[in-house]
């Protein structure tokens, strides 16, 4: 769209005439709006329908209930730490995949997608077993008195698992476009490796890294399947926000469940908006 | 480029991360699935409930693919081939399911079709049960994967432009013929790519489905939900045996995905 919008009248009238040449606008638009409304918009609107039947006090009480607030803290803190870890390792992985040649590089690249392809419940039970005090990794740490499964550490690990592809796949295309000639030139001029990275490469990938951070963070906050098993769901300690929505629902407390859901939806939209703004900036840079 | 110390350390660090975070969980599934031998493994995956869960997962995945492919085809045609007001808003609305927690995806269908839902009297009078029944599971799965296919098609079709379709239309070709002869050959790999992503997510969906399913064994249990029940009953071997079916499918999907991605890149470049 922006490429074509030349702003001149002739361009616009040509485009309008062109549009009438290709058939099927009415049909395809009709089907699109119909299906979108039926599957996404109308069901989503019921959040507001249900909440319109509740008083503002009820809603406020539900979203500021101390136990619910404790779940926000767990979800936010774990998602924050997990996303920071993912940015560090995401940059590292994107870097070695795009810049270095080593055996099994293609396999490593493909494996990054695993968290997208593996059903979350499978990831959940597998991580829980692996990090429990009898598991291969958890057993090792248990010797030092560090428990991983059923603690916030476990939740963070599950969130790292689910978030890593978002960061790697955000940064990879930027690194692929970045001409190695720049760092070669800097290297010839005598800059050290660390200096090259922080002065030349890091500023270029920052917007992409932030996008990856945002996507991974949003996913970690909303994630259920891979987190719920390892969390253990101990109230006040390892309960995550999606879980409290589910338990309110199981207690038939629809107002509370829907109110907390609304908080999460608003938060997700804020993150999405931030990412879209960043993405627009990245696209401007990429197009020069 | 000659390999130096820093390079080697970075590669080893990245490989260690991938091994611990991604490969070890896979090995865990396979080891636990087989730790009591093949017989127990075979028993777990041929168990009546497991087979029924597999069938339900297959059924809901197929319906989801059909619905989302239809949506993807129509939506990408409308959005990529025509200029209209509010296009940005429309694409944002289509992306909503991406940004919503699966639990909320399940919740909204309870709010529509559950006992307190506004559509409850209607479905009741028709004698259809949606929540805690198969239609709810299918709906929740469709919701969660709704944008997967359109999202792959739209950018590609926008990049390819309209010239060929216009020429065909001016020469008198009808809509369906244009689509089949001109558009489809250009987007077939992207379409397949979207279908693959959608399959992976649809068969593995857990959160949304667990909210609307009601966990009725043999009736509304999908494969991931069956895994949950077995795990919570401390039937570890059985849980991992059933998981291994999903792991093998996930690996096949990843390989297919890589092949299609390669074809796609070749076609674009």
């Amino acid at each position: 769209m922006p490429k074509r919008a030349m702003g001149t009248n002739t361009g616009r009238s040509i485009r309008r005439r062109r549009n009438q040449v290709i058939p099927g606008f009415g049909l395809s638009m009709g089907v699109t709006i119909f299906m979108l409304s039926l599957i996404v918009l109308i069901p989503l609107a019921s959040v507001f329908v249900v909440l319109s039947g509740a008083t503002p006090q009820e809603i406020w009480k539900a979203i500021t209930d101390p136990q619910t607030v404790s779940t926000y803290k767990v979800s936010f803190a774990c998602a924050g730490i997990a996303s920071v870890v993912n940015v560090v390792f995401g940059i590292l992985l994107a870097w070695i995949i795009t810049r270095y040649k080593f055996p099994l590089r293609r396999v490593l690249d493909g494996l990054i997608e695993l968290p997208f392809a593996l059903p979350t419940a499978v990831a959940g039970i597998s991580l829980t077993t692996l990090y429990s005090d009898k598991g291969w990794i958890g057993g090792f740490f248990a010797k030092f008195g560090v428990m991983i499964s059923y603690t916030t550490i476990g939740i963070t690990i599950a969130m790292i698992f689910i978030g890593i592809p978002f960061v790697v796949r955000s940064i990879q295309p930027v690194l692929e476009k970045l001409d190695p000639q720049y760092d070669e030139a800097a290297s010839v001029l005598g800059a050290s490796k660390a200096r090259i990275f922080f002065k030349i490469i890091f500023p270029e990938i920052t917007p992409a890294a932030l996008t990856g951070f945002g996507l991974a963070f949003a996913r970690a906050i909303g994630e259920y399947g891979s987190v719920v098993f390892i969390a253990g769901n101990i109230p006040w300690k390892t309960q995550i926000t999606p879980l409290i929505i589910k338990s309110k629902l199981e207690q038939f407390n629809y107002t509370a469940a829907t109110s907390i859901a609304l908080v999460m939806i608003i938060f997700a939209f804020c993150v999405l908006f931030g990412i879209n703004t960043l993405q627009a900036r990245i696209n401007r840079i990429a197009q020069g | 480029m000659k390999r130096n110390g820093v390079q080697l350390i970075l590669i080893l660090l990245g490989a260690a991360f991938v091994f611990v975070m991604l490969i070890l969980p896979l090995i865990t599934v396979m080891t636990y699935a087989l730790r009591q031998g093949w017989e127990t493994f075979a028993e777990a995956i041929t168990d009546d409930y497991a087979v029924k869960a597999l069938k339900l997962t297959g059924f809901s995945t197929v319906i989801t693919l059909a619905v989302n492919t239809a949506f993807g085809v129509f939506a990408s045609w409308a959005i990529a081939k025509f200029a209209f007001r509010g296009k940005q808003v429309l694409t944002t609305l289509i992306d909503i399911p991406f940004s919503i927690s699966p639990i909320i995806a399940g919740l909204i269908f309870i709010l529509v079709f559950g006992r307190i839902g506004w559509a409850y009297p209607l479905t009741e009078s028709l004698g259809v049960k949606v929540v805690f029944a198969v239609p709810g599971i299918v709906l929740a799965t469709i919701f969660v994967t709704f944008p997967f296919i359109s999202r792959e098609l739209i950018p590609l079709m926008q990049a390819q432009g309209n010239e060929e379709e216009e020429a065909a239309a001016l020469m008198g070709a009808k809509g369906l013929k244009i689509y089949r002869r001109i558009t489809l050959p250009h987007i077939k790999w992207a379409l397949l790519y979207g279908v693959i992503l959608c399959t992976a997510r649809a068969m593995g969906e857990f959160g949304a489905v667990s909210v609307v399913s009601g966990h009725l064994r043999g009736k509304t249990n999908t494969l991931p939900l069956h895994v949950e029940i077995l795990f919570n009953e401390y039937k570890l071997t059985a849980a991992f045996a059933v998981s291994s079916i999903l792991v093998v499918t996930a690996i096949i999907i990843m390989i297919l995905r890589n092949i299609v991605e390669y074809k796609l890149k070749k076609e674009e470049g």
Side-chain angles (χ1 to χ4, degrees), chain B residues 60-254:
Chain B
S60 92
T61 304
V62 168
I63 305 274
T64 300
L65 280 178
V67 172
N68 289 349
T69 305
F71 176 75
V73 163
F74 283 108
S76 60
W77 186 261
I79 289 170
K81 296 293 171 199
F82 303 94
F84 56 89
R85 222 175 255 240
K87 191 187 274 193
Q88 195 60 48
V89 178
L90 184 64
T91 46
T92 310
L93 290 176
I94 292 174
D95 274 347
I96 285 178
F98 270 137
S99 56
I100 281 185
S101 171
I103 291 296
I104 297 175
L107 168 78
I108 59 176
F109 287 103
I110 300 257
L111 297 181
V112 177
F113 296 106
R115 212 162 271 279
I116 63 149
W118 50 266
Y120 185 72
L122 180 74
T123 53
E124 187 76 342
S125 68
L126 291 172
V128 184
K129 219 166 167 295
V130 178
V131 164
F132 304 141
V134 175
I137 291 174
V138 176
L139 271 176
T141 312
I142 293 174
F143 178 94
V144 172
T145 54
F146 197 60
F148 271 65
I149 294 172
S150 63
R151 212 186 151 94
E152 296 303 323
L153 295 183
I154 293 167
L156 183 67
M157 284 168 68
Q158 274 176 333
Q160 283 171 347
N162 293 350
E163 280 75 15
E164 290 181 48
E165 281 88 352
E166 277 156 13
L170 286 172
M171 285 189 271
K174 291 276 187 304
L176 196 64
K177 194 171 184 189
I178 297 177
Y179 197 84
R180 228 183 44 229
R181 301 286 283 274
I182 295 171
T183 314
L184 200 57
H186 283 313
I187 60 164
K188 61 175 190 284
W189 291 114
L191 182 63
L192 193 58
Y193 189 73
V195 166
I196 290 171
L197 294 186
C198 189
T199 309
R201 184 67 197 269
M203 62 161 220
E205 182 48 36
F206 177 70
V209 168
S210 95
V211 173
V212 295
S213 136
H215 294 84
L216 303 171
R217 274 199 181 184
K219 279 194 180 145
T220 62
N221 235 5
T222 62
L223 221 43
L225 294 178
H226 190 57
V227 168
E228 182 197 21
I229 291 185
L230 291 171
F231 187 77
N232 287 341
E233 285 173 351
Y234 302 103
K235 292 179 182 153
L236 274 193
T237 309
F240 280 108
V242 175
S243 293
S244 70
I245 305 175
L246 290 165
V247 167
V248 171
T249 323
I251 290 173
I252 294 173
I253 284 176
M254 278 169 68

Side-chain angles (χ1 to χ4, degrees), chain A residues 92-161:
Chain A
L92 173 75
L93 286 168
W95 177 260
I96 64 173
I97 290 169
T98 49
R99 289 298 173 92
Y100 299 158
K101 284 199 174 72
F102 53 93
L104 297 178
R105 187 182 63 99
R106 291 272 310 152
V107 176
L108 188 81
D109 187 25
L111 268 172
I112 302 290
E113 303 283 326
L114 181 73
F116 285 156
L118 193 68
T120 53
V122 174
I125 67 164
S126 177
L127 290 172
T128 309
T129 309
L130 187 57
Y131 287 94
S132 82
D133 53 3
K134 292 189 191 71
W136 294 331
I137 298 180
F140 174 76
F141 283 98
K143 280 187 214 154
F144 306 99
V146 181
M147 294 296 160
I148 299 180
S149 282
Y150 318 120
T151 68
T152 43
I153 307 175
I155 300 177
T156 310
I157 285 175
M159 287 174 172
I160 294 173
F161 172 85

Side-chain angles (χ1 to χ4, degrees), chain A residues 164-178:
Chain A
I164 189 70
F166 290 101
V167 185
V168 178
R169 294 299 184 239
S170 298
I171 297 171
Q172 230 172 338
V174 182
L175 277 181
E176 269 164 14
K177 287 244 166 62
L178 197 66

